[in-house]
Each structure stands twice: as structure tokens, then as C-alpha cells.
Amino acid sequence: MINVTKAFLPPKEEFMKHVSEIFDSGILTNHGKKVQELEQKLAIYFGTLYFHYVTNGTVALQLAIECLDLPKEGEIITTPFSYVATTSSILWEKYTPVYADIKADDFTLDPEKIEELITDKTVAIMPVHVFGYNCEIENIQKIADKHNLKVIYDAAHTFGAKYKDKQLATYGDISTLSFHATKLFHTIEGGGIICKNEEFNNKIELMKRFGHTNDNHQILGINAKQDEFNAAMGLTNLNYISQIIEARKKISFLYDEMLSNLVDNRKILRPLKNKDLEYNYAYYPIVFENENILIKALNKLKELDIFPRRYFYPSLNTLPYLKTTQNCPISESISKRIICLPLYVDLEEENIEKICKAIKE
């Protein structure tokens, strides 16, 4: 079976060295040494003063929204083309998601669609660097500055990607990452928050551990603390991040080569990469001409025990539990026609050939 992704596992002995140290310490959670070490190393990796390692990427988004001292109700403009956690985090925090459509070339939030949706109810903008492709950062920031709005980036897919020689995950007022096992850097389960100032940093530090220090209860918080074993996986995997990205790059280039005729003849569409982006090869999305062809391709691949995934379907503005609906024709069209092909470190060339042959057929 070839799945859309497969978690990278480091050498067992390196991971078990950390595990042995955890057993020796007897400390499993509550901001232990492994968690502290990983936070410090990731802060250095991202070139930021303030980094928080938390339980998952969804909680990271919720904490990011909560720490900004936004009005207690209002609207957050976001993208309809993302994983559902982008929307659910807004809803859980009791805000209303307002969807701006995406650009057809790289599937990121269209700045031209953002400004027309801003009202006196708008409290923030939450774009997504979807598949690791950067949003129009400068244009979004101009709009945010003009209307005095915070920018929260869902940077779940951006680990290792750089924009204008700066880590893509460090843009905006605050940004979040996912370290789920499906991501190119993972801690089995986990997430991260990068913020820009000491005030946000201190508030997140409190909120992620119930809002209190010892018996001094200061603010409302939740349990977003990470444990030592997940941190141990992160510490081990971090040593291999360059090799992981390089391996994924090689596989992506093989796909490019084998699917070039389909791209050239516009039978499939690939996202446009910004010239200032140093890509991390997080995903390999392709867009078919219509949904019928997509379904035929999925069925053909399934016959071969190959399972790509429909990232991201359905378009989030069509979720059945939303109180209001909005038209986002580009997102709705792309979401019906896009799949991500299998991409992981040890995916063999013969299987890449098999996948591409099936798609061509």
C-alpha cells in the first residue's frame, strides 16, 4: 500500500537514547527538559525570540487568536481552501469566519478579495501558506495596517520554507505550525506558535498551562502542554530536517519530469511558486481539468493500492454547520479537482513511475 504520506522515523537508537534519559529523570510532562530543549532549538532554527511548543496545530491556532486581545466577538477573514482546523479554531473561539476567495495560480488567499470584506465587525485576518506556498505577505500586511487589523498566519505547512531569506513561518503578528506525524517535521503530535513580542509570549506561556503559576491563578487557560516523549521525537527528527527536505525535493523533481507532458498540455495544473520562495516540498498537489477525471484517477490508483488524498475538500465555505454561506468560486472549483500525490522520504522511484503511469492512463 502506498499512502499519501508516511511519517519519517529516525534511527531507533537515537530516539531511544532520549527515551532512556526520560526514564532516568522520571519526568514525563509539565515542561520537562526535553520540551525546553526542543523549544530552544526551534527558536534558534526559526530565528525568533519567542517560540512555544504545544500539543497540536489546532490548539496553537486557538491560543494565537486568544492571546491577541481581540474584541470578544466579530469576524475573522480567512481562506476557504485549507484543512478544517483553520475554520474550526475560529469557531471554537466564538468568532465568525468570513471567506475571501483564493488565487487560481497558487491557491493562497487573494488580497484583492480581502479588503472588500472588511467591515466594522472585522477583528483579524487569518491567511494560510497553503502547501507551503507563501501568501502575498506584503499586500496582506498593507491591508492589515490600513485597517488596524492583526494578521494570524496558519503556517502549518511551512517548516523549512523561506521567503526572502527569512523563515516563512515568522511573518505576521503571530503564526502557528503543525508537527503532526503527516508533516515533513513531526513530533508525532504537536504544534508551534511564533509570536513577535514579550506581551504575547508571556500570555501564551500562561494560557498553555491553565493560566496559573503554582498557586497564583492569573488568567483563563487551557492544557496545551507537551510531553517529554513527543519532544524526544522532535529533537531526534530535527537532526535530519535538511536530509528530509532534500529527499522530498528529489521526489518532487521526479514527479515534475514524469508529469511534464500533462502540465505542458494543461491536462493537469501545478501551483505557481513565487521566485522569492525557497520551497520545502511539503506536498505535491495536482489539479485535474474536472472532477470526473479526478475520480477516475483516484479509482485507477486505488486499484493499484495507491491512496493519494483530496487536499483540501470540500471548500470550507460550504461546511454544513456554518450559519451563513458565501460564494468562493475559485476555491470551490479547485477543491473539487485537486489531489496530493504520495510524497515521503523513502518513496521509491518505481512507485513514482507507477503513480504517474496510472494518472496518464
Side-chain angles (χ1 to χ4, degrees), residues 77-81 98-103 106-114 117 125-130 134-136 140 153:
I77 296 174
T78 190
T79 174
F81 190 72
V98 174
Y99 298 99
D101 210 350
I102 61 173
K103 298 189 297 173
D106 65 7
F107 320 142
T108 64
L109 197 58
D110 187 344
E112 292 185 5
K113 305 290 174 56
I114 294 173
L117 294 172
I125 305 169
M126 186 189 285
V128 178
H129 299 300
V130 67
N134 64 281
C135 296
E136 287 192 27
I140 290 172
Y153 274 111

Side-chain angles (χ1 to χ4, degrees), residues 11-76:
K12 188 185 295 184
E13 62 274 13
E14 292 183 30
F15 176 66
M16 292 307 297
K17 181 177 182 297
H18 287 291
V19 171
S20 178
E21 291 171 357
I22 294 169
F23 270 77
D24 290 343
S25 74
I27 295 172
L28 305 183
T29 186
N30 283 347
H31 210 54
K33 288 184 177 180
K34 298 296 178 185
V35 167
Q36 292 179 50
E37 183 182 354
L38 183 58
E39 280 191 330
Q40 291 164 5
K41 288 188 173 181
L42 288 174
I44 293 168
Y45 182 85
F46 286 108
T48 181
L49 288 174
Y50 306 119
F51 182 89
H52 293 271
Y53 176 46
V54 295
T55 46
N56 56 65
T58 308
V59 165
L61 281 169
Q62 290 177 238
L63 287 169
I65 295 169
E66 193 68 33
C67 89
L68 293 178
D69 292 324
L70 302 174
K72 291 303 179 186
E73 58 182 30
E75 299 174 346
I76 295 178

Side-chain angles (χ1 to χ4, degrees), residues 337-352:
R337 299 184 288 124
I338 191 168
I339 61 171
C340 283
L341 299 182
L343 178 56
Y344 47 86
V345 166
D346 56 357
L347 182 62
E348 296 173 342
E349 184 170 348
E350 64 184 61
N351 286 327
I352 300 169

Side-chain angles (χ1 to χ4, degrees), residues 283-299:
Y283 296 85
Y284 197 92
I286 61 172
V287 182
F288 293 95
E289 292 178 282
N290 57 60
E291 190 174 18
N292 287 336
I293 297 174
L294 175 143
I295 291 169
K296 287 179 181 178
L298 287 178
N299 289 337

Side-chain angles (χ1 to χ4, degrees), residues 183-240:
K183 301 297 188 292
L184 63 85
F185 170 79
H186 77 87
T187 64
I188 307 174
E189 287 278 3
I193 306 171
I194 296 172
C195 55
K196 291 294 180 66
N197 63 48
E198 190 173 5
E199 179 188 354
F200 294 164
N201 176 68
N202 293 341
K203 191 171 181 183
I204 293 168
E205 184 63 40
L206 269 174
M207 286 194 301
K208 75 182 183 184
R209 47 185 174 82
F210 296 105
H212 69 86
T213 303
N214 298 321
D215 294 329
N216 181 19
H217 290 256
Q218 295 161 266
I219 60 175
L220 178 66
I222 59 172
N223 184 8
K225 302 187 307 296
Q226 260 291 14
D227 67 72
E228 293 290 87
F229 290 98
N230 282 355
M233 180 61 77
L235 286 168
T236 315
N237 281 342
L238 192 58
N239 296 326
Y240 293 90

Side-chain angles (χ1 to χ4, degrees), residues 248-310:
R248 297 172 76 97
K249 178 180 179 180
K250 181 180 178 182
I251 292 166
S252 296
F253 280 15
L254 284 171
Y255 273 132
D256 286 346
E257 181 181 340
M258 294 180 191
L259 296 174
S260 60
N261 285 342
L262 295 183
V263 174
D264 291 344
N265 293 317
R266 300 195 63 79
K267 297 296 182 183
I268 61 172
L269 172 71
R270 291 273 295 132
L272 180 68
K273 186 178 83 67
N274 187 292
K275 62 180 178 59
D276 292 317
L277 176 67
E278 183 180 322
Y279 190 49
N280 62 355
Y281 304 93
Y283 296 85
Y284 197 92
I286 61 172
V287 182
F288 293 95
E289 292 178 282
N290 57 60
E291 190 174 18
N292 287 336
I293 297 174
L294 175 143
I295 291 169
K296 287 179 181 178
L298 287 178
N299 289 337
K300 177 69 176 177
L301 290 164
K302 185 177 180 180
E303 289 173 8
L304 301 171
D305 226 15
I306 299 166
F307 299 93
R309 185 166 174 186
R310 297 184 74 172

